[in-house]
């Protein structure tokens, strides 16, 4: 059986398996601090293309891979963020089971970086595992943040993790704003319930309108979505300045 082989490049990785290969480009989307109209974090997202240039559905692609692939991709994303000299914290998506691997955790720590957040996008194992909680504590003690991604009130695993895992931040699934984007009481109620289970607060995904942005700002939470910027390839200071300009312009227009 062929194993995946990763070759890092400045803006992504080339992945090969046997005679097949694909390019995973790294895209960056800002997460905004609405209290001072600034970019607080960048989430690293992926665009997958075949060797012929065909673009795959990234969500479908990542549903069919295992933890070893995800861990290797995570390490390559950290390497790329360092090559690109990104100073703000970058968030990287992994599964909870990845954090049962002490060797993987030690590899992350070997970068001696405090500008990394790990977004747990799949609670695919027991959240009370002593090994996982020990590794999470070790990461947090060394400045690596652990976020719960795609929170939804009907996700039983996510709800059971509250209080068991000391989440630095919780990201609210974009479907919440899609269905409650004009309901201030619903947004404030969710914020009131979840905030005690985080160290640094909440991030609402799926901010697509000025109304969304205004409501999220009223809760003191962070915002992420197309209203501020689509995911884009990193272009250094020019891209960062463009993000900052668009964020300020869009937030001001939403007031």
């Amino acid at each position: 059986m062929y194993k995946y082989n990763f070759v890092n490049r400045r803006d992504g990785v080339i992945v090969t398996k046997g005679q097949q290969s694909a390019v995973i480009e790294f895209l960056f989307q800002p997460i905004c601090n609405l209290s001072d109209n600034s970019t607080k974090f960048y989430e690293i997202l992926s665009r997958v293309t075949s060797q012929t240039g065909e673009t795959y559905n990234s969500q479908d692609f990542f549903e069919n891979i295992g933890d070893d692939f995800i861990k290797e991709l995570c390490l390559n994303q950290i390497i790329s963020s360092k090559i690109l000299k990104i100073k703000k914290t970058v968030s990287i998506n992994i599964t909870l089971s990845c954090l049962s691997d002490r060797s993987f955790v030690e590899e992350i720590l070997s970068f001696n970086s405090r500008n990394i957040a790990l977004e747990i996008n799949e609670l695919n194992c027991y959240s009370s595992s002593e090994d996982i909680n020990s590794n999470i504590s070790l990461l947090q003690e060394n400045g690596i943040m652990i976020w719960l991604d795609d929170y939804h009130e009907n996700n039983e695993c996510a709800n059971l993790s509250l209080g068991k895992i000391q989440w630095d931040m919780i990201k609210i699934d974009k479907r919440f704003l899609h269905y409650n984007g004009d309901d201030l009481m619903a947004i404030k109620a969710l914020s009131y319930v979840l905030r005690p289970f985080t160290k640094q607060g909440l991030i609402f995904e799926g901010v697509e309108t000025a109304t969304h942005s205004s409501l999220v700002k009223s809760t003191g939470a962070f915002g992420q979505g197309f209203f501020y910027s689509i995911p884009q390839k990193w272009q250094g200071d020019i891209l960062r300045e463009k993000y900052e300009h668009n964020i300020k312009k869009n937030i001001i227009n939403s007031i």
Side-chain angles (χ1 to χ4, degrees), residues 96-109:
L96 184 61
S97 56
C98 288
L99 296 184
S100 65
D101 183 347
R102 188 59 167 240
S103 296
F104 170 61
V105 169
E106 290 174 349
E107 282 195 78
I108 293 175
L109 294 176

Side-chain angles (χ1 to χ4, degrees), residues 61 118 146 153 176 192 227 231 243:
F61 180 87
L118 301 177
I146 307 296
E153 60 183 357
F176 183 83
Y192 178 81
F227 182 68
Y243 276 161

Side-chain angles (χ1 to χ4, degrees), residues 117-219:
L118 301 177
E119 295 193 28
I120 309 302
N121 57 22
E122 187 176 345
L123 296 165
N124 58 344
C125 62
Y126 186 46
S127 61
S128 293
S129 162
E130 290 185 10
D131 288 342
I132 288 176
N133 281 309
S134 174
N135 287 335
I136 287 176
S137 295
L138 180 61
L139 288 164
Q140 291 175 322
E141 288 167 4
N142 285 276
I144 307 299
M145 289 192 288
I146 307 296
W147 298 357
L148 174 59
D149 189 22
D150 291 337
Y151 175 83
H152 190 276
E153 60 183 357
N154 294 328
N155 186 327
E156 183 178 356
C157 291
N159 287 325
L160 290 174
S161 77
L162 301 178
K164 293 181 180 178
I165 295 177
Q166 299 302 309
W167 301 110
D168 288 286
M169 304 195 79
I170 296 177
K171 296 185 75 175
I172 312 302
D173 186 271
K174 62 184 179 181
R175 289 174 293 179
F176 183 83
L177 280 182
H178 179 76
Y179 291 110
N180 301 279
D182 58 354
D183 190 340
L184 176 60
M185 293 305 296
I187 293 172
K188 286 195 170 183
L190 183 65
S191 300
Y192 178 81
V193 170
L194 292 181
R195 194 172 295 276
F197 297 106
T198 75
K199 296 179 180 181
Q200 299 192 35
L202 307 176
I203 299 168
F204 280 84
E205 298 180 285
V207 178
E208 296 184 354
T209 68
T211 299
H212 287 168
S213 182
S214 179
L215 292 177
V216 171
K217 181 178 181 179
S218 72
T219 70

